[in-house]
Amino acid sequence: MSEKKLAYYPGCPSATTAIEQDMSTKAVFEKLGIELSEMEDWNCCGAAEAEDPILVYALNARNLAIAEKDGLDIVTPCSICYYNLARTDKALREDEGLRAEMKDIDSSLEYKGTIKPKHILDVLVNEIGMDELSGKVEKKVNVKVAPYYGCYIGRPSETAFDDPDDPDLMDRLIELIGGENVQFSSMKTKCCGGPLMMTREDIAFEMARKVLESAKNAGADCIALACPLCGMMLDAKQPDIEKKLDIKVEMPVVYISQLLGLALGIAPGKLGLNKNVVSTKEILGKVI
Amino acid sequence: MIKTWELDANFRNEIMNEPGGEHLSACFQCSTCTIGCPIAEIVPSYNPRKIIQMSLLGMREDVLSNPDLWICAICQTCTARCPQDVRISDLLAAIRRIAEKEEEAGKLKVDSVRPLFEKAFLHQLEKYGRLFDMGLAMEYYKGKEGGSFIKGQLAMMKDFKDFGMRMFKKGKMGPKAMFPEKVKKKEEIEKIFEKVGEKEK
Ligand code: SF4
Ligand code: SF4
């Protein structure tokens, strides 16, 4: 990767429910010698709840404009933030009228389209690249992993950066660090139910159950993922799902940045591995 | 049975004029969207293809009052697979917004708590510029309990007692979670909500 500095868009859960993702992302980039400079005064992307596209564009135009002032590409660890930033970037690049409309709302929304928003997985594999990463791997993370991509990484096509049906960026990282990918193809890109968690818990739990049980049946030691909403659903809510549906899963769920961090020789505490709800102790025992 | 005299020939235009609804008429009813939908797998009645067909026919009332509109997980699987680029996920959102407007005008009762949740979410965003989980949960539960703060709090504690403790123990519900993080240039966020709101009217 040529640039050694990126604008960092942490997203709202970074200080609370997904703090381990934030910690591990920062630790990994520090170790790789790439500076993450947190965007000044960023705002929420609208998540899955802002359904009006114009509102999504306005919220994200402000964020894009902040990074553009510094001339930096944006990296975010959240798939939903990424999707909202990327679709706004695309819509504004293509539509002069929309750009004018944004500027008309407020001058802080003036975005010219000279930078790019990117997802952390895309930056790691496609920008930094496997060669550079493999040179920095210090430890073997000998775990069986169910790589779970969820939505927005492989779809929709305008913003996707991996295959819609059988994405493999995470699979490649897992192989690189000495892990093994279990048979998980049919579940990789299935929605975790997160957007329905607060309004239709029954459906959301059933969706999450399918992902969790498939990983278990495939013999995985853990699920790896790259989105805080998936993390909320599959990890933080796992005990609730077990209780409600009367099942036992006990499946550790980690962010891919945490697994990669272990391979780079970063201390587990710095990667927030004590913050995941389902214990990650067994994974730590497999780092050699 | 379709009551032809109740059809609204303009409904398709109404949807296609709503951002996200533009591609409605391209649908050729192949069902690809429904076959791959994770919700259709779980809820037998759920059928995005049918919602589209009914919209094209002009069955306005039936479509807008269909409770299934509110259980789409916006996962984009249908959008990614549709051979006609109908963009079903965004299209359903456009139909939901029409239904919400109808409800605001007192013409329809939406059979879902989802609008309440989304409004509470956006309200947090408007106030702080960032999501404040605690404030969101409080406002949403208050709304769900018919506007009673006390009842809302009790219902919320019942639903989230275990979860809250779990998060607290992991240091995810500490002081940082108790107070909202705020965007400094609040006026810029306020402008967005004010102006986008105006445009919609
Ligand atoms: S996949 Fe597209 S064309 Fe086929 S039924 Fe669904 S919306 Fe219509
Ligand atoms: S976006 Fe909605 S309708 Fe489309 S596949 Fe996902 S849940 Fe089904």
Side-chain angles (χ1 to χ4, degrees):
Chain A
M1 197 171 102
S2 49
E3 321 97 71
K4 287 280 174 202
K5 189 173 174 181
L6 291 164
Y8 179 51
Y9 181 82
C12 297
S14 60
T16 53
T17 53
I19 191 165
E20 68 271 43
Q21 188 183 32
D22 181 64
M23 291 167 75
S24 55
T25 299
K26 286 175 177 159
V28 162
F29 278 82
E30 190 191 323
K31 186 89 186 185
L32 295 172
I34 295 161
E35 187 186 343
L36 291 186
S37 137
E38 182 167 331
M39 280 164 52
E40 174 70 28
D41 212 30
W42 57 271
N43 58 268
C44 170
C45 73
E49 280 71 21
E51 293 222 279
D52 175 356
I54 303 298
L55 180 60
V56 172
Y57 296 153
L59 290 167
N60 291 280
R62 184 175 177 275
N63 288 326
L64 289 164
I66 292 171
E68 188 170 57
K69 277 202 195 79
D70 294 329
L72 295 174
D73 284 346
I74 299 173
V75 62
T76 177
C78 171
S79 298
I80 302 176
C81 299
Y82 165 74
Y83 172 54
N84 284 332
L85 284 164
R87 63 172 157 149
T88 303
D89 170 66
K90 186 172 189 295
L92 293 186
R93 272 168 200 269
E94 287 172 0
D95 187 342
E96 202 181 322
L98 191 60
R99 283 203 300 275
E101 201 178 317
M102 291 297 124
K103 212 171 115 186
D104 199 40
I105 291 173
D106 191 67
S107 59
S108 63
L109 311 189
E110 186 176 0
Y111 175 62
K112 299 186 196 73
T114 59
I115 55 142
K116 269 275 163 205
K118 288 166 188 163
H119 188 280
I120 178 176
L121 197 54
D122 190 17
V123 171
L124 287 170
V125 180
N126 295 325
E127 304 266 322
I128 297 169
M130 300 306 268
D131 287 346
E132 183 157 347
L133 289 176
S134 70
K136 301 219 157 119
V137 167
E138 292 175 12
K139 293 195 167 152
K140 184 172 159 81
V141 185
N142 193 15
V143 281
K144 291 199 186 113
V145 187
Y148 178 67
Y149 294 77
C151 316
Y152 310 124
I153 286 177
R155 63 176 180 259
S157 59
E158 310 81 41
T159 50
F161 52 90
D162 206 341
D163 188 86
D165 300 312
D166 195 11
D168 77 340
L169 295 181
M170 229 185 311
D171 295 53
R172 284 160 63 193
L173 284 177
I174 289 159
E175 273 167 35
L176 179 87
I177 64 175
E180 180 192 327
N181 291 296
V182 301
Q183 251 323 320
F184 199 55
S185 329
S186 60
M187 277 294 155
K188 272 181 171 178
T189 62
K190 204 148 203 165
C191 175
C192 70
L196 297 177
M197 185 179 79
M198 293 296 281
T199 57
R200 279 303 296 266
E201 190 189 83
D202 54 337
I203 301 177
F205 277 16
E206 180 58 19
M207 293 166 88
R209 179 194 65 79
K210 290 188 187 187
V211 178
L212 290 167
E213 287 195 331
S214 306
K216 197 178 170 85
N217 294 338
D221 299 320
C222 67
I223 292 175
L225 41 76
C227 172
L229 188 58
C230 302
M232 165 72 106
M233 230 20 237
L234 300 178
D235 183 45
K237 286 271 173 186
Q238 198 181 117
D240 298 319
I241 295 167
E242 290 182 318
K243 193 170 161 193
K244 194 77 152 262
L245 303 180
D246 197 18
I247 52 171
K248 265 261 151 293
V249 190
E250 289 172 340
M251 174 60 64
V253 179
V254 293
Y255 292 101
I256 186 70
S257 44
Q258 291 182 296
L259 281 186
L260 180 61
L262 286 173
L264 297 176
I266 301 169
K270 235 186 138 185
L271 298 167
L273 277 152
N274 53 347
K275 303 263 180 204
N276 304 60
V277 163
V278 181
S279 171
T280 60
K281 275 211 185 80
E282 283 193 23
I283 300 174
L284 298 184
K286 294 182 178 178
V287 182
I288 40 182
Chain B
M1 191 180 73
I2 298 173
K3 300 183 186 119
T4 46
W5 58 92
E6 281 179 6
L7 296 180
D8 180 345
N10 193 42
F11 188 40
R12 63 159 72 202
N13 298 325
E14 191 180 354
I15 295 172
M16 288 168 73
N17 282 328
E18 191 71 30
E22 298 89 350
H23 299 219
L24 171 69
S25 61
C27 172
F28 58 23
Q29 293 287 305
C30 68
S31 246
T32 305
C33 50
T34 307
I35 293 162
C37 170
I39 301 295
E41 243 177 52
I42 296 172
V43 182
S45 67
Y46 191 73
N47 190 325
R49 184 214 40 87
K50 200 163 152 195
I51 294 175
I52 294 170
Q53 184 185 35
M54 289 165 77
S55 301
L56 285 167
L57 283 169
M59 298 169 76
R60 189 172 188 275
E61 265 198 62
D62 294 287
V63 170
L64 294 182
S65 59
N66 185 350
D68 283 353
L69 280 181
W70 307 93
I71 59 173
C72 165
I74 51 170
C75 74
Q76 306 283 343
T77 308
C78 50
T79 297
R81 295 184 183 167
C82 171
Q84 288 293 94
D85 194 30
V86 174
R87 316 201 57 85
I88 306 95
S89 192
D90 297 347
L91 175 77
L92 291 173
I95 300 177
R96 283 196 290 277
R97 282 202 308 284
I98 296 175
E100 278 184 67
K101 282 181 206 157
E102 288 288 288
E103 182 171 54
E104 275 158 26
K107 292 185 207 152
L108 177 87
K109 180 85 196 71
V110 166
D111 188 8
S112 167
V113 289
R114 184 155 160 180
L116 269 180
F117 180 66
E118 290 178 348
K119 281 199 186 100
F121 187 103
L122 293 180
H123 193 215
Q124 298 302 308
L125 225 167
E126 188 174 358
K127 273 207 288 203
Y128 308 118
R130 292 197 190 158
L131 171 60
F132 175 42
D133 283 322
M134 212 49 157
L136 166 60
M138 276 173 8
E139 187 173 337
Y140 173 51
Y141 272 87
K142 183 179 163 198
K144 275 216 291 190
E145 296 299 323
S148 159
F149 179 76
I150 303 288
K151 275 197 199 157
Q153 289 296 289
L154 291 173
M156 182 175 101
M157 280 195 287
K158 190 167 153 276
D159 284 359
F160 279 89
K161 189 170 52 63
D162 295 352
F163 180 81
M165 257 334 265
R166 197 180 304 142
M167 291 288 108
F168 180 75
K169 280 190 197 144
K170 289 287 174 182
K172 293 178 169 179
M173 202 92 123
K176 263 205 143 171
M178 297 299 158
F179 299 99
E181 287 217 29
K182 295 179 193 162
V183 164
K184 285 184 226 112
K185 292 183 184 151
K186 241 185 100 198
E187 59 299 343
E188 294 178 359
I189 305 294
E190 282 164 3
K191 268 267 186 65
I192 292 177
F193 280 90
E194 195 190 295
K195 294 255 181 107
V196 172
E198 265 169 31
K199 279 201 176 94
E200 305 291 287
K201 275 178 195 130

